[in-house]
Amino acid sequence: MDLALPTRLTVATDGTLGGATRRYTKLLGDLDGVYRDNTAWQAAVAEQGAESIAYAVDDHRYPDQAGGTGRDQLAADNAGALIVGTSTLQPGIVGDEYAMTRGHLHAIADRAELYHCLSGHGVMLLETVDGHSETVELRPGEAVNVPGHWIHRSVNVGDEPFVTLFCYAADAGQDYGIIADAGGMRSLIVRDGDSWAAVPNPDHIGYRADGKA
Ligand SMILES: O=P(O)(O)OC[C@H]1O[C@H](O)[C@H](O)[C@@H](O)[C@@H]1O
Ligand SMILES: [Fe+2]
């Protein structure tokens, strides 16, 4: 097994990650089905363009120790390793809902994650398959230590980019189907006057049991 050499990273409040090994972007046009009001999402795509960036993730990860593929191999290769990165979520409102990430449960569901707010104003929406829902509001300098088994989604409730530094186990993976199959998360984060509120999602039909991705 090759030894990973320690890497120095620089983390800026605008999300710039010096030393990143990977960047991925989600475009507004990629988010079909994420927002409850599909007509409003289509209008936003028509107005802002399908290619406009909804959020960007820059991360640093060490190469797979054995170069394997597949979830079991990845888990074996990356046992104990961390992925560290920044997430930059643009502001906006679609229908009544604030701009958000797709959200996921970790494919290895017990894997935890740290989110530390670097700039902007956001909410981490957290739910479990058996009915718990929580919100954690985040401003610069505030963080949430997301336990395993919580489905999580970042929501930007401000008018600037919501930027977080995150860290999670390299073998965690992401299960996106759990939200899509449930008709969305149990709660929606919507505009409420000048602020935000979590309200029940009428389209949510319940989560399947985890571990069945
Ligand atoms: O994966 P999404 O739900 O689209 O959210 C985007 C990103 O959010 C977090 O920052 C996670 O740590 C990333 O691994 C994830 O990819
Ligand atoms: Fe995650």
Side-chain angles (χ1 to χ4, degrees):
M1 185 198 280
D2 295 332
L3 183 68
L5 296 177
T7 299
R8 179 174 178 274
L9 306 173
T10 58
V11 182
T13 55
D14 69 355
T16 304
L17 181 68
T21 54
R22 175 177 175 265
R23 177 178 176 83
Y24 101 79
T25 54
K26 275 288 148 194
L27 308 178
L28 190 59
D30 295 334
L31 300 180
D32 191 10
V34 170
Y35 292 97
R36 179 162 184 260
D37 184 342
N38 199 258
T39 306
W41 170 76
Q42 287 177 15
V45 169
E47 191 191 326
Q48 298 166 44
E51 303 294 313
S52 67
I53 292 177
Y55 56 96
V57 176
D58 294 277
D59 67 34
H60 173 267
R61 50 185 77 195
Y62 291 107
D64 291 353
Q65 299 297 299
T69 55
R71 185 180 298 168
D72 292 343
Q73 188 62 46
L74 198 66
D77 295 346
N78 289 309
L82 298 174
I83 296 172
V84 174
T86 58
S87 163
T88 302
L89 172 59
Q90 297 303 317
I93 292 189
V94 177
D96 291 334
E97 290 179 276
Y98 282 106
M100 58 189 169
T101 61
R102 286 175 298 172
H104 55 260
L105 180 68
H106 289 152
I108 302 179
D110 66 1
R111 298 305 195 249
E113 185 160 0
L114 168 74
Y115 285 88
H116 173 249
C117 178
L118 296 170
S119 58
H121 178 202
V123 171
M124 189 65 59
L125 174 62
L126 303 132
E127 298 181 349
T128 64
V129 295
D130 59 356
H132 298 277
S133 286
E134 295 283 337
T135 55
V136 178
E137 192 165 10
L138 294 174
R139 294 182 186 273
E142 298 172 340
V144 54
N145 182 351
V146 177
H149 298 287
W150 285 82
I151 298 160
H152 48 282
R153 157 180 285 166
S154 302
V155 186
N156 187 343
V157 298
D159 47 24
E160 299 167 18
F162 173 52
V163 184
T164 52
L165 175 71
F166 62 79
C167 179
Y168 65 104
D171 64 0
Q174 284 93 5
D175 173 2
Y176 295 103
I178 192 149
I179 295 177
D181 293 351
M185 290 183 75
R186 192 180 298 110
S187 296
L188 308 172
I189 304 297
V190 298
R191 179 159 48 188
D192 183 22
D194 290 340
S195 188
W196 61 275
V199 299
N201 174 9
D203 296 336
H204 178 76
I205 56 170
Y207 291 117
R208 59 174 154 79
D210 66 14
K212 294 187 182 156

